[in-house]
Amino acid sequence: MAESSPFYTLAEGQPRHSNDTSEQLRTGGGGGFLLMTSTQLIENLAHFSRERIPERSVHAKAAGARGYFEVTDDISDITDAGFLTDIGKRTDVLVRIATTGPEKGSADTVRDFRGFAIKFKTLEGNQDWVFNNQPVFFVRDPVKFPSLNRSHKRDPATNRPNSDMFWDFHVNNQESVHALMFLFGDRGLPSSVRHTNAYSGNTYKFSKADGSYHYIRIHILTNQGNHYFTNVEGATLAGTNPDHHIQDLQEAITSGNFPSWDVCIQTIRPEEIADAPVDIFDMTKTWPHKKYPLRKVGRMKLCENPNNWFAEIEQAAFSPSNMVRGVEPSPDPMLQARMFAYPDAARYRLGINYQFLPTNAAKSEVYCPIERDGFMNFTKNYGEDPNYVGSKIKPIEFLTAEQGGPNAKGAARATTKNVGTYDQTSAGDTPASFASEVTEKDFTQATALWQLIGKQEGAQKRFVDNASAHISGCKRKWIRDEAYGECCLITLETWFATKTKPTAMFTRVDEGLGEMIKTTTENKIENNHLHPHKTAWH
């Protein structure tokens, strides 16, 4: 039976004879004067001018889809999170995978970090994982986060990308070198979102009602393999099919080739922190896999394209602050800052009631009568229920300490302290104005990564070519010098002793690497080589 055609009306339900007419006073010469009584025309013009909502400051260009997460391995020994503990349990997910710096209308085949956001619609509320496609990040101090992103965007004077801005930030904040090693390596330009991993970067806590907990990092590993584009391939697609990543994901799902990822975790007990080789709350560092092996949790599969992009993907909002029972924040400063910044960005972009939009709404029952009213509230607004705390007019039930969850933290801490564990969650009595410093440890893992890719045929050369192509765009020679280093370099020991301004970032990773980048970069400049990345770099 054929589906009946919808009946056209205005936005408030009034039927009309047509949708392409306006009320006019016609003149004898063929023109006409529009009337203010032409409601259909006025409503249509007014709505058109207001169709666009503010673009995301970062992660504006994205691919997205729906699917499910299925538990395959039991981890009930470390968390009470229901969506993670029952083997075979499936939870609906909404996934959005985006470039970071470029605008919404930009090409998606650019060399850039990818944001990998997942919203789990659990039976106990929404759990959001807002990850990246690389295991480390550029900074560990949240105050640097806005500046990092500004340096990767457009020059405020010219409104064009500026290599001097990019490298001026990084040579003066050299804790970013580990992330740069990933960015300019092969995985910095994935061939599709299906062929990229995701990593929490931040450290979380998985907890149980008995007060026990573990610090964890999450790895989401593609089952399609890690495939990448060269700069030339990315630039070619950027000019011929700027929506390649979106198209690739949609066509794969339409054809039944559903992409999947294995979800794994690394765990550290509180008493093991003192023995950790790195600061476990520093997202510029990875946790060694030999010491903290991966433990599988489940598998995520994407199998449904959105029916309406704006409603389901553009209006989607993800925040690390969305945590269900059994998942808690750690003393990771970047995580804590993101827990404020992400929902605050959603309030600005979508409005205070963004949580009620269907794509964001929890599947579980929501009852929060102390948050109500506001623009575009299309709920019943909790009716006559009291809108303040401490009311006995309508009694409310709460999660108990025995059930675990955020309101049981006090009990969990007391229980843990009784065990006498070493735990960096204990804070001092006096607030401190703190900024981290670059140390030798910031270069150790970058050096190890450089040595690792040296075992892959041609990978070191590709890294040097990628980095040199970008650095050669720097007009200021001193910025280039601080990226790879001039001949007279101070030793690390001298720098740490004298606090001399940081120099020679890549030489501090490996002396040969610095020299290779310098030679390749200056040769490109001297010979005025074309840089194929330019049309693809944000």
Side-chain angles (χ1 to χ4, degrees), residues 6 18 22 89 112 132 140 156 186 246 314 320 328 362 373 422 456 458 466 469 485 507 509 525 536:
S18 67
S22 60
K89 176 182 283 187
D112 193 13
N132 285 315
R140 52 179 169 251
D186 289 341
I246 298 176
E314 188 64 19
E328 299 182 27
D373 304 343
Y422 178 83
Q456 304 166 20
N466 294 335
T507 297
V509 174
I525 295 171

Side-chain angles (χ1 to χ4, degrees), residues 11 166 191 195 280 299 405 500 503 531:
F166 183 98
S191 63
H195 294 96
I280 70 166
R299 175 167 290 191
T500 306
T503 57
H531 312 313

Side-chain angles (χ1 to χ4, degrees), residues 15 216 289 358 384 457 471 507 520:
I216 62 103
H289 284 227
E384 62 182 12
E457 184 177 356
I471 298 173
T507 297
T520 305

Side-chain angles (χ1 to χ4, degrees), residues 31-51:
F33 294 96
L34 293 171
L35 301 179
M36 291 295 290
T37 55
S38 184
T39 301
Q40 177 169 258
L41 171 65
I42 291 172
E43 285 192 353
N44 193 262
L45 289 175
H47 194 278
F48 178 74
S49 298
R50 294 164 175 82
E51 285 180 355

Side-chain angles (χ1 to χ4, degrees), residues 65-75 79 81-95 116 118-123 127 129 131 206 218-221 223 259-265 295-304 324 327 363:
R66 296 185 181 276
Y68 63 87
F69 167 78
E70 181 174 355
V71 178
T72 59
D73 295 71
D74 181 27
I75 61 167
T79 180
F83 80 105
L84 295 175
T85 52
D86 296 330
I87 293 179
K89 176 182 283 187
R90 289 188 176 185
T91 301
D92 291 340
V93 297
L94 170 67
V95 174
F116 201 119
I118 310 171
K119 185 179 291 292
F120 296 82
K121 298 289 188 84
T122 86
L123 299 178
Q127 169 70 54
W129 286 349
F131 297 171
F206 277 3
I218 304 167
H219 300 241
I220 302 178
L221 307 177
N223 289 310
S260 66
W261 290 259
D262 285 341
V263 177
C264 305
I265 58 173
R295 178 176 178 181
K296 189 177 178 183
V297 181
R299 175 167 290 191
M300 181 181 72
K301 181 176 289 188
L302 298 182
C303 52
E304 181 183 347
V324 300
V327 181
K363 292 181 66 174

Side-chain angles (χ1 to χ4, degrees), residues 450 464 506-507 509-519:
W450 173 247
V464 170
F506 285 114
T507 297
V509 174
D510 182 274
E511 187 172 346
L513 170 60
E515 184 61 32
M516 290 167 67
I517 294 179
K518 175 185 175 181
T519 301

Side-chain angles (χ1 to χ4, degrees), residues 20 74 169 181 183 217 228 284 287 377 395 500 536:
D20 59 358
D74 181 27
F169 178 86
M181 299 294 293
L183 176 62
R217 281 193 177 176
Y228 63 90
T284 69
W287 294 1
N377 189 325
T500 306

